[in-house]
Amino acid sequence: MEGKIETLWNEVRELNLGTSGELDRLDSPPTPLQFLRDFVSQNKPCIISNATNHWPALTRWTSDSYLTSALSSSLVSLHLTPHGRADSLVPSPSSSASLCFASAHVQRTPFSEALRLIKNDASFVAYAQQQNNCFPSEYSPLAADCDPHIPFASEALGCRPEAVNMWIGDERSTTSFHKDHYENLYAVVTGQKHFLLLPPTDVHRMYIREYPAAQYRHSPVTGEFELEMESPARPVPWSSVDPYPAPEDREEQLKKFPLFFNGPRPFRCTINPGEMLYLPSMWFHHVRQSPDSRGRTIAVNYCKGSRYDMQFDIKYAYFNFLQSIQCASIESQTLAETVQEDFDSDSPEKTEDE
């Protein structure tokens, strides 16, 4: 069976996605028909250049004084972790030999203080974000600086998004491999975002398993974190793969997750200011970021809610069927080492605004 699954990985690239590991890049926003025909209906991601060059945000949000003045009375959701990896797998507090799914400590913070904490060098990482339509609810004074929706996408999908979210962080914040059930348009305003992408057909390479849920609690007095397991226990299905393992863990990771490291290379891309990534539903994605000269990355994404949700049609049925198939590991150490070297060379560096 594993040979047939491997054939599927290759065929979907040869017939539809391409074999270069690069995404299609459009020089300007597509028409609604082009977007629907060439990308949405094919469940195929793309990069759209010059998508947001008309946004005042591209110049205004590079100024701390502008942001702090506009948001002087705003409270924003700030996520705190000891390492910058929220919604990720970490050693369980009850046993370091097992893993749990850890969520960040979340607190409502005045924006000026949130910006200071994001730029801090303390023993924690702060990330301003909340996937609950936080842009209009927490950042409404900035509403005129960017579009309330993406016209070509709204027309192609037949609706506007129900959620627009803001993300402000630095290079320490990363997002582990996961998938979403909704269409996603991700626009970078400052800094850069670095994505690794795998199509839904590669679900077996993600080693999705269930892990008990936990949440960080941060003490402002001591500055220390405590990881608390949820009670009653709640299992969370999550990918076990870290595509950038530490050098001392590399050999172990290659042996534990050969389907990931031995398969076709993930699609990879860097999204710059003024560019937008279309990320289709069910695609697995891992995200890192590089800050601008002021030490931060800012992005806005349009997604979530029922209106930009994927259509639960035959594609969803195919995915569920594929996910139910058991697939054994494929051994190929030489290819695994080659792929890991490619990942290592793709490590993002701090960049200026472009």
Side-chain angles (χ1 to χ4, degrees):
M1 178 60 71
E2 61 268 22
K4 295 180 179 180
I5 295 294
E6 187 176 11
T7 298
L8 175 64
W9 301 340
N10 292 316
E11 285 187 347
V12 74
R13 288 162 171 79
E14 293 171 359
L15 297 175
N16 182 40
L17 302 176
T19 58
S20 68
E22 304 294 328
L23 300 183
D24 287 354
R25 180 179 288 274
L26 308 181
D27 292 331
S28 60
T31 66
L33 176 60
Q34 179 189 6
F35 183 60
L36 180 62
R37 179 193 62 208
D38 296 344
F39 301 103
V40 177
S41 64
Q42 297 189 42
N43 198 240
K44 183 178 181 180
C46 66
I47 301 169
I48 304 164
S49 300
N50 304 306
T52 61
N53 286 347
H54 61 287
W55 285 10
L58 264 66
T59 54
R60 293 177 179 174
W61 294 5
T62 60
S63 167
D64 285 356
S65 60
Y66 172 79
L67 292 173
T68 53
S69 175
L71 299 169
S72 59
S73 60
S74 298
L75 293 176
V76 300
S77 298
L78 192 66
H79 290 224
L80 303 181
T81 61
H83 42 53
R85 300 188 302 276
D87 290 352
S88 66
L89 303 180
V90 300
S92 170
S94 59
S95 172
S96 60
S98 60
L99 298 175
C100 65
F101 174 81
S103 299
H105 170 89
V106 183
Q107 62 186 42
R108 298 276 286 171
T109 306
F111 178 77
S112 59
E113 176 66 5
L115 194 61
R116 185 189 70 82
L117 292 175
I118 290 169
K119 298 165 67 174
N120 86 90
D121 293 323
S123 58
F124 64 86
V125 178
Y127 197 13
Q129 59 104 346
Q130 187 75 7
Q131 298 188 61
N132 62 350
N133 201 31
C134 71
F135 184 73
S137 62
E138 300 182 1
Y139 299 88
S140 58
L142 303 178
D145 293 345
C146 56
D147 292 335
H149 71 110
I150 307 303
F152 69 83
S154 295
E155 184 172 345
L157 297 170
C159 58
R160 292 192 177 198
E162 284 192 354
V164 182
N165 301 312
M166 179 79 116
W167 308 76
I168 307 177
D170 64 13
E171 74 279 3
R172 296 172 295 171
S173 293
T174 63
T175 303
S176 61
F177 260 126
H178 68 287
K179 70 180 189 309
D180 299 309
H181 288 81
Y182 45 81
E183 308 295 334
N184 193 338
L185 289 153
Y186 207 104
V188 171
V189 178
T190 71
Q192 296 177 315
K193 292 279 186 174
H194 310 278
F195 289 81
L196 284 182
L197 307 174
L198 284 175
T201 49
D202 291 31
V203 59
H204 296 97
R205 302 175 62 193
M206 292 288 91
Y207 292 85
I208 296 174
R209 298 164 183 162
E210 289 191 340
Y211 297 91
Q215 186 166 27
Y216 285 109
R217 304 295 181 190
H218 178 256
S219 169
V221 177
T222 65
E224 296 181 351
F225 285 88
E226 182 180 358
L227 186 59
E228 297 180 356
M229 303 301 298
E230 289 191 11
S231 181
R234 178 174 64 92
V236 177
W238 205 255
S239 171
S240 308
V241 174
D242 178 2
Y244 301 102
E248 62 270 20
D249 299 328
R250 179 172 171 175
E251 184 175 351
E252 178 187 1
Q253 294 292 304
L254 296 179
K255 292 178 179 179
K256 288 175 65 176
F257 309 120
L259 293 177
F260 175 79
F261 290 104
N262 297 341
R265 296 175 182 176
F267 293 85
R268 66 185 68 197
C269 63
T270 293
I271 309 301
N272 298 303
E275 297 179 337
M276 181 178 293
L277 171 67
Y278 165 57
L279 182 60
S281 58
M282 308 299 286
W283 273 68
F284 296 96
H285 48 289
H286 180 283
V287 192
R288 298 194 294 178
Q289 53 193 16
S290 298
D292 61 17
S293 59
R294 284 155 298 281
R296 63 172 182 268
T297 302
I298 305 179
V300 179
N301 77 313
Y302 299 77
C303 66
K304 201 80 172 168
S306 61
R307 293 187 180 174
Y308 267 13
D309 271 1
M310 66 174 287
Q311 297 296 315
F312 287 88
D313 54 15
I314 196 168
K315 290 185 293 186
Y316 182 69
Y318 284 156
F319 176 81
N320 279 343
F321 172 72
L322 180 62
Q323 188 172 230
S324 70
I325 297 173
Q326 298 296 315
C327 182
S329 296
I330 300 171
E331 300 296 338
S332 177
Q333 183 67 24
T334 301
L335 178 56
E337 291 173 349
T338 301
V339 172
Q340 182 58 39
E341 289 171 2
D342 289 342
F343 290 159
D344 292 342
S345 66
D346 193 42
S347 179
E349 297 179 354
K350 187 171 181 177
T351 61
E352 300 292 327
D353 276 340
E354 295 186 12

